[in-house]
């Protein structure tokens, strides 16, 4: 199932390219056109790059939703269900392929960060730990997208997913410090799971805005989301056959 999803990359290179280029555009826009970096306590690029890496792991779920809903509406899922495979293999294959694409996108973004002057002031272990937290967050977000796709069953849900993802992404400390916001809004931002990931990643990278003590929360939030949405997705998928 994972090979099937990867084979789609060769037939849809534009979609793959857009998924990689879009977060690069966001990074460059906020870094050079929009970003002010109020109250970040240091160089804004040093603060921004880890935040955009976290933001990248939340964006792009619409491609997952489109793929799942298209398979549902074309009857592909029914054909797979008649084959001797584990009930959740279709969904796991989808998530595995998407994780590979996310890893590629993350590598490109880190490369762009280095190209514009950002540096990770940490050990190899800290660097790999930060990358691991980012991919863990992405994995949890993918299963939210898969469940929402199965719940709606129509490609039209893509627009709804985009509406949900943007507030979650921007109501975080990915691009601005909570200290620059009204008190009530800053509190909401600090409780956002993405903020926990961004803060922990900044700490592990040795970047501006990093605070120790957030790594545990950055692990527990994605694990909790995965523990909730993974069984929900499998249960919903099983019900489609009835």
């Amino acid at each position: 199932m994972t090979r099937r999803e990867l084979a789609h990359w060769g037939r849809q290179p534009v979609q793959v390219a857009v998924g990689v280029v879009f977060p690069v555009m966001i990074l460059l826009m906020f870094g050079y056109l929009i970003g002010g970096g109020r109250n970040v306590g240091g160089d804004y690029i040093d603060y921004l790059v880890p935040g955009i890496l976290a933001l990248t792991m939340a964006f792009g779920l619409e491609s997952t939703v489109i793929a799942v809903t298209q398979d549902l509406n074309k009857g592909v899922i029914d054909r797979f269900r008649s084959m001797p495979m584990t009930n959740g293999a279709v969904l796991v294959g989808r998530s595995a392929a998407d994780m590979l694409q996310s890893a590629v996108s993350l590598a490109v973004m880190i490369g762009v960060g280095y190209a514009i002057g950002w540096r990770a002031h940490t050990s190899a272990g800290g660097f790999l730990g930060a990358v691991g937290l980012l991919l863990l967050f992405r994995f949890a977000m993918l299963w939210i997208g898969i469940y929402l796709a199965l719940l709606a069953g129509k490609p039209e849900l893509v627009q709804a997913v985009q509406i949900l993802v943007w507030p979650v992404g921007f109501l975080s400390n990915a691009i601005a410090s909570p200290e620059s916001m009204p008190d009530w809004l800053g509190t909401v931002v600090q409780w956002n799971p993405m903020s926990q990931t961004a803060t922990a990643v900044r700490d592990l990278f040795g970047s501006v805005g990093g605070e120790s003590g957030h790594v545990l929360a950055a692990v527990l939030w994605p694990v909790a989301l995965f523990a909730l949405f993974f069984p929900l997705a499998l249960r919903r998928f099983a019900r489609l056959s009835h």
Side-chain angles (χ1 to χ4, degrees):
M1 296 309 304
T2 302
R3 286 197 301 269
R4 170 183 177 266
E5 299 300 338
L6 293 176
H8 290 170
W9 291 13
R11 295 192 294 270
Q12 300 173 339
V14 174
Q15 182 176 334
V16 175
V18 169
V20 173
V21 171
F22 177 73
V24 173
M25 292 173 57
I26 292 291
L27 173 59
L28 296 178
M29 282 193 299
F30 278 99
Y32 294 105
L33 297 178
I34 304 174
R38 292 185 300 160
N39 299 326
V40 300
D43 181 67
Y44 185 52
I45 292 296
D46 196 43
Y47 179 90
L48 178 66
V49 171
I52 293 295
L53 295 180
L55 200 63
T56 301
M57 296 296 97
F59 284 0
L61 292 181
E62 59 271 14
S63 61
T64 299
V65 175
I66 289 174
V68 174
T69 53
Q70 283 180 342
D71 282 349
L72 288 172
N73 286 276
K74 291 178 179 178
V76 176
I77 299 297
D78 292 332
R79 292 198 294 272
F80 287 149
R81 192 176 287 114
S82 66
M83 300 172 66
M85 65 171 66
T86 305
N87 195 35
V90 176
L91 304 183
V92 173
R94 175 76 248 175
S95 67
D98 282 359
M99 283 302 296
L100 289 173
Q101 183 173 353
S102 299
V104 171
S105 180
L106 183 59
V108 170
M109 289 296 295
I110 291 174
V112 173
Y114 268 79
I116 64 175
W118 173 78
R119 294 294 182 268
H121 309 287
T122 186
S123 63
F127 187 94
L128 293 176
V131 170
L133 287 181
L134 290 167
L135 292 176
L136 178 64
F137 182 67
R138 176 62 172 180
F139 189 63
M141 294 299 292
L142 280 177
W143 281 98
I144 295 175
I146 289 172
Y147 173 69
L148 292 176
L150 293 172
L151 191 64
K154 299 291 183 182
E156 291 78 12
L157 180 68
V158 173
Q159 193 172 32
V161 171
Q162 290 174 325
I163 293 172
L164 291 172
V165 169
W166 280 84
V168 171
F170 286 104
L171 280 176
S172 71
N173 64 2
I175 58 177
S177 171
E179 283 73 22
S180 65
M181 306 173 187
D183 291 341
W184 66 270
L185 183 59
T187 301
V188 172
V189 164
Q190 289 176 338
W191 277 96
N192 188 331
M194 184 185 295
S195 294
Q196 299 297 324
T197 295
T199 302
V201 166
R202 288 185 178 112
D203 180 47
L204 292 174
F205 278 141
S207 298
V208 171
E211 298 177 7
S212 60
H214 288 264
V215 172
L216 181 60
V219 172
L220 292 180
W221 265 114
V223 168
L225 292 172
F226 173 74
L228 174 63
F229 285 97
F230 178 73
L232 285 175
L234 293 185
R235 189 177 301 117
R236 180 66 182 177
F237 183 80
R239 289 178 179 174
L240 294 176
S241 60
H242 301 300

